[in-house]
Structure formats: C-alpha cells, structure tokens
Amino acid sequence: YNSIQIGYKQVPRQKLTKPELGHLDKTSIVPLKYLKEYPIDNVEDFTLGQIINVQDFEEGQFVDVTGKSIGKGFAGTIKRHHYTRGPMTHGSKNHRAPGSIGQGTSPGRVFPGKKMAGQLGAKQITVAKLKILKIDSKENLLIVKGAVPGKPGNLLSIKPTVKV
C-alpha cells in the first residue's frame, strides 16, 4: 500500500535510539521525536522532506481527530461501566460490588468480554467529523468545533473525515 510518514518535534540526536537515527539518516532528515504513518492514494503528491502545515486544510472542512484519552487509573465497575450500586441499608453488604459474573458449574468459566473492573481511559480515541472553524496560518493552528481527546498539550493526529 502507499503511505507517507510524518514527523514532528525536532530533538537532539542523543535523545533518539540508534535504530530511529538509522531510519532517519537514510533520508537525511533531521532527528524527529514523533513519527506517524498515513495511508495515501497518490505518492507523487508529496516529496521527501516536504513540510505539511495547516494550509492543507480549509475552513468548514470536517476532520477526524485522534489522540490518547485521559487516563483515570484502575476503576471499578460502577465508574467504568456505569453499573448501579447495591442497597446501602437493611444488612446488605453489596454496596459497590459488581455482583454475579456468570453461571455455576456449567459452563464453569467467565465469558470473554465480561464487563469488570480495570484500566479506565488512556486509550487511543478518534472523535469524528469535527468542523474546522478557523485556520491561523501565522501560528500554524486549527480551531475546531467540539472536544478533542486527551489533556491540554497532548499530541493529536488530524486527518480529513472518512465518514460523510
């Protein structure tokens, strides 16, 4: 398949590993911290070392924004899957417990995909169809309508929307 690799954030050579440096030295590109591959239709539209900026987008265009969501640590079933809690009174000891996790001897196992406690957040999330409200060419900024994944300062991947 045809694809391009885009790099971001120039760093000193000693900050990268030898394999990363070897990969970048093949094309005589400056050391870059972040690399990401994007599939494309036509390779001839791009040249080696080409700088891609916000000029490639236009106001009113819809984009998909991908990033790492905010991590919330190890969460129980109430917070992670919106389970309801048990009764708090009348001798109940099932306050925030998940409840039954399956049948008994038959099948004698927990089915895959059972919603249980575990890591919440810190996953790659794509928010689809965000509209570009404004483009600031001077500062190389895109202003989009809607929420983007992650914390302020997160690295985001922006591409034209796939769904119409």
Side-chain angles (χ1 to χ4, degrees), residues 38 52-66 127 129-148 154 156-161:
Y38 291 91
I52 297 173
N53 54 25
V54 295
Q55 297 300 331
D56 297 338
F57 295 101
E58 49 198 51
E59 288 184 23
Q61 181 182 2
F62 287 95
V63 291
D64 293 343
V65 180
T66 303
V127 180
K129 292 181 74 174
L130 294 180
K131 188 177 184 180
I132 297 176
L133 296 179
K134 190 174 180 187
I135 297 174
D136 186 355
S137 305
K138 188 176 165 190
E139 293 291 324
N140 208 28
L141 293 174
L142 284 177
I143 299 170
V144 295
K145 182 180 182 177
V148 296
N154 254 18
L156 299 173
S157 171
I158 302 169
K159 58 185 177 183
T161 218

Side-chain angles (χ1 to χ4, degrees), residues 1 3-9 23-24 32-40 52 64-68 124-126 155-159:
Y1 73 105
S3 66
I4 59 170
Q5 196 172 49
I6 296 177
Y8 168 72
K9 194 168 184 186
H23 175 69
L24 293 168
L32 298 168
K33 186 173 182 180
Y34 303 104
L35 294 174
K36 185 162 172 64
E37 194 172 277
Y38 291 91
I40 57 169
I52 297 173
D64 293 343
V65 180
T66 303
K68 194 173 186 181
Q124 181 173 297
I125 301 290
T126 300
L155 190 62
L156 299 173
S157 171
I158 302 169
K159 58 185 177 183

Side-chain angles (χ1 to χ4, degrees), residues 2 4 6 9-10 16 20 29-30 47 51 68-69 80 92-93 109 112 116 118 122 134 150-151 158 161:
N2 294 327
I4 59 170
I6 296 177
K9 194 168 184 186
Q10 190 171 338
L16 298 178
E20 289 170 331
I29 302 276
V30 294
T47 59
I51 294 174
K68 194 173 186 181
S69 64
R80 188 175 186 214
S92 168
K93 293 182 177 154
R109 64 191 178 98
M116 297 177 119
K134 190 174 180 187
K151 301 176 181 180
I158 302 169
T161 218

